[in-house]
Amino acid sequence: ETPARSDGASHPFERKNLGIYFIESDNRRMAHGRGYTGGTTPVNIHGKPIADLSKTGGWIAAFFIFGNEMAERMAYFGLSVNMVVFMFYVMHKPFSSSATAVNNFLGISQVSSVLGGFLADAYLGRYWTIAIFTTIYLGGLTGITLSATIKYFSPNQDQCDKISLLLGSCEQAKPWQMFYLYTVLYITGFGAAGIRPCVSSFGADQFDERSKDYKAHLDRFFNFFYLSVTLGAIVAFTLVVYVQMSHGWGSAFGTLAIAMGISNMLFFIGTPLYRHRLPGGSPLTRVAQVLVAAFRKRNASFSSSEYIGLYEVPGKYSAIKGSGKIAHSDDFRCLDKAALQLKEDGPNQSPWRLCTVTQVEEVKILIKLIPVPACTIMISLILTEYLTLSVQQAYTMNTYMGHLKLPVTCMPVFPGLSIFLILSLYYTIFVPISRRITGHPHGASQLQRVGIGLAVSTLSVAWAGFFERYRRNYAVNHGYEYNFLTPMSGLCVFWLLIQYCLIGIAEVFCIVGLLEFLYEEAPDAMKSIGSAYAALAGGAGCFAASILNTIIKSATGNAKEGRPTWLSQNINTGRFDYLYWLLAILSAINFCVFLYTAGRYKYRAEHKHE
């Protein structure tokens, strides 16, 4: 218990500012808001403290973890692009329904990350969560490989040429065949639940937060982490596409399964090197306890004579395993009533009636974090639309580079290459220049980087709208209006590189900044939940893309009048340019909302460490 005052008198300042109350530490009382007491000692896989930290963690351990993320993203991007084409050419599904199915896969693989983050923080720890779900992921990829390899799982391909595909007269896949494909596809997506929220946090756990270079290591770690994501994407858009063209769909999907199997093996080999954090118990239970306790004491007053103080356990560490004490803040003061200790509470109150200050602050932090990842849903929506719609655009254009014909499905490699280039030049060019402008030691703060990414993504989708209008007019004027599967020799596909490279630059700033922001700002015992916020925003963007496409198809087309929808299967009669401009408007509005949100946010990390 931490009494705020010894008498029952009320003082105006005490009613106005709850920050005068104290957390009790071992050797002194430390004013709320001025410091942070660490309680996150790294342990080995058996849960015991590590005697010699120099033999574990660091960059060597982090690189074993990078491999797992690289293979997961290689499979993620390999499926996101190739599965649309596979469903169209092999399963004979329309582009629109294929794109919707893939968008749902992308959404499930990211939204389910909340489950993985919960299990990691509550019960399993990040290591075992990754180990279990990466095995599930491998099982799903194996099932997809069987679907593409065994003819029994796909419809008859005889007498199915381009004209038949165009007219929709090819033999349709049987319901059970599509059910099997959707099942293994969504199992793969579910397998990402334990990888996406945990890998970045588990990698960051390998660095000692007491080190003077901790911030620099963390900053470089998240950049290298996203570099591994990019390398996985580049391999997916080049090597996997080459294997598909040379050896077929079964070999392409099998390559993804083999890569995931190798990464799993490397991840387990690195086990003796890893530093672990103990799971802190169910974060959802702690959140529920705060809400229930605050509701029960909703009528209690901070100026009441029954008021003793804000409750916190004595000593250096908090009552939450794996978490240090968190300083009190004046945000969401209605939740402070959960920690409001009254004379009637007694010495051994249930946590459903009386919570510690640290527990209350955990809930406050989770609430304060929500607006930032919510603003990144828009860039995820744009990326999802690019992955499906840009493939259709590329099919209508000349893909020759000299005498070399580039496969349409490898076009998304160019955002990856731009990301690779930006990350390579980040510390040599961007940081020194921006440091002179902003005065920030890392060139730009985490939220500034997110804002730069959102602004560039708006430019990208605006350019996409202008170019699509030009591409469509070119097709109409040169007699390609009703022949959308024939490439237009006079229009080079490399015009799409502008929107691809811009969105690649946007990803570097937005997603890397967001991951670092969430890891540093999230409570100690909720790091995986914090990282899951980013994946949840990504999944929400995928589902938002599906919902938006469905609304547009139903609102803009009229079969009786012969008016095609904006998203017509014949891209040359549709209006993809209208969709891109709609996204540009929504993105600009979203950017303004982010500026307001970021301007009001106060970093927790600035006063986190003693």
Side-chain angles (χ1 to χ4, degrees), residues 329-341:
S329 69
D330 285 329
D331 301 309
F332 306 108
R333 295 192 36 184
C334 59
L335 296 178
D336 284 327
K337 294 190 175 182
L340 186 65
Q341 187 173 18

Side-chain angles (χ1 to χ4, degrees), residues 329-362:
S329 69
D330 285 329
D331 301 309
F332 306 108
R333 295 192 36 184
C334 59
L335 296 178
D336 284 327
K337 294 190 175 182
L340 186 65
Q341 187 173 18
L342 305 176
K343 292 179 180 178
E344 64 186 46
D345 286 332
N348 297 310
Q349 270 297 328
S350 163
W352 294 94
R353 179 172 177 82
L354 182 63
C355 304
T356 64
V357 169
T358 296
Q359 189 174 342
V360 172
E361 291 301 318
E362 280 189 328

Side-chain angles (χ1 to χ4, degrees), residues 270-599:
T271 298
L273 299 174
Y274 300 143
R275 296 173 183 173
H276 304 258
R277 302 295 173 108
L278 293 172
S282 172
L284 297 184
T285 300
R286 296 201 300 276
V287 171
Q289 288 172 342
V290 170
L291 297 178
V292 170
F295 180 78
R296 283 182 169 180
K297 295 183 178 179
R298 64 191 182 279
N299 295 322
S301 172
F302 290 108
S303 60
S304 169
S305 60
E306 296 295 314
Y307 175 33
I308 297 177
L310 296 178
Y311 176 70
E312 183 58 274
V313 294
K316 185 177 181 180
Y317 303 106
S318 76
I320 302 167
K321 186 188 298 184
S323 173
K325 288 182 176 179
I326 303 177
H328 176 267
S329 69
D330 285 329
D331 301 309
F332 306 108
R333 295 192 36 184
C334 59
L335 296 178
D336 284 327
K337 294 190 175 182
L340 186 65
Q341 187 173 18
L342 305 176
K343 292 179 180 178
E344 64 186 46
D345 286 332
N348 297 310
Q349 270 297 328
S350 163
W352 294 94
R353 179 172 177 82
L354 182 63
C355 304
T356 64
V357 169
T358 296
Q359 189 174 342
V360 172
E361 291 301 318
E362 280 189 328
V363 179
K364 290 183 182 181
I365 291 169
L366 288 181
I367 295 173
K368 287 188 287 187
L369 289 178
I370 289 175
V372 175
C375 287
T376 65
I377 291 175
M378 194 66 222
I379 191 174
S380 222
L381 193 159
I382 294 171
L383 284 166
T384 304
E385 296 287 18
Y386 276 2
L387 282 174
T388 52
L389 302 184
S390 293
V391 172
Q392 291 176 257
Q393 288 178 290
Y395 266 112
T396 69
M397 303 170 69
N398 179 9
T399 59
Y400 276 92
M401 180 187 290
H403 297 290
L404 176 65
K405 179 177 173 61
L406 295 178
V408 168
T409 47
C410 82
M411 291 306 297
V413 73
F414 291 100
L417 292 175
S418 67
I419 292 172
F420 186 86
L421 180 63
I422 292 297
L423 287 175
S424 301
L425 301 177
Y426 184 83
Y427 290 104
T428 56
I429 296 179
F430 173 76
V431 171
I433 294 175
S434 58
R435 187 186 292 133
R436 294 179 182 179
I437 299 173
T438 64
H440 194 279
H442 300 292
S445 69
Q446 297 149 359
L447 290 180
Q448 285 172 340
R449 280 180 276 164
V450 173
I452 291 171
L454 293 179
V456 175
S457 70
T458 304
L459 294 177
S460 173
V461 76
W463 163 260
F466 282 112
F467 176 72
E468 171 56 21
R469 183 178 181 86
Y470 174 80
R471 189 211 60 80
R472 183 182 182 278
N473 289 340
Y474 185 96
V476 172
N477 295 333
H478 290 78
Y480 290 96
E481 184 173 4
Y482 298 102
N483 195 8
F484 69 96
L485 290 180
T486 301
M488 296 177 285
S489 58
L491 192 58
C492 183
V493 76
F494 294 104
W495 282 105
L496 292 176
L497 298 190
I498 297 176
Q499 68 199 54
Y500 275 141
C501 291
L502 285 174
I503 201 65
I505 294 171
E507 275 193 271
V508 169
F509 286 98
C510 184
I511 306 303
V512 176
L514 178 65
L515 287 173
E516 186 177 343
F517 168 79
L518 291 174
Y519 181 82
E520 287 209 35
E521 296 298 301
D524 291 328
M526 295 185 179
K527 296 293 186 186
S528 297
I529 291 289
S531 297
Y533 272 11
L536 184 62
C542 296
F543 286 124
S546 295
I547 294 171
L548 180 62
N549 291 351
T550 301
I551 293 173
I552 286 175
K553 281 187 283 189
S554 61
T556 60
N558 191 315
K560 293 181 180 180
E561 297 178 2
R563 186 175 73 249
T565 70
W566 290 2
L567 298 176
S568 171
Q569 180 156 303
N570 182 350
I571 185 176
N572 294 333
T573 59
R575 298 308 304 243
F576 281 24
D577 53 337
Y578 289 172
L579 172 61
Y580 284 139
W581 285 336
L582 174 62
L583 292 177
I585 294 171
L586 294 176
S587 187
I589 295 172
N590 177 73
F591 179 65
C592 294
V593 173
F594 172 79
L595 290 179
Y596 174 79
T597 301

Side-chain angles (χ1 to χ4, degrees), residues 259-272:
M260 180 56 71
I262 293 174
S263 76
N264 288 1
M265 181 178 65
L266 292 175
F267 177 77
F268 291 124
I269 288 175
T271 298

Side-chain angles (χ1 to χ4, degrees), residues 73-85 98-99 102-103 105-106 185 236-237 253 256 383-384 387-388 391 412:
R73 288 309 176 96
M74 177 179 164
Y76 175 83
F77 287 111
L79 291 175
S80 64
V81 174
N82 289 291
M83 187 54 68
V84 175
V85 183
S98 300
V102 172
N103 287 349
F105 156 72
L106 301 178
L185 183 64
F237 296 139
F253 294 138
L256 300 178
L383 284 166
T384 304
L387 282 174
T388 52
V391 172

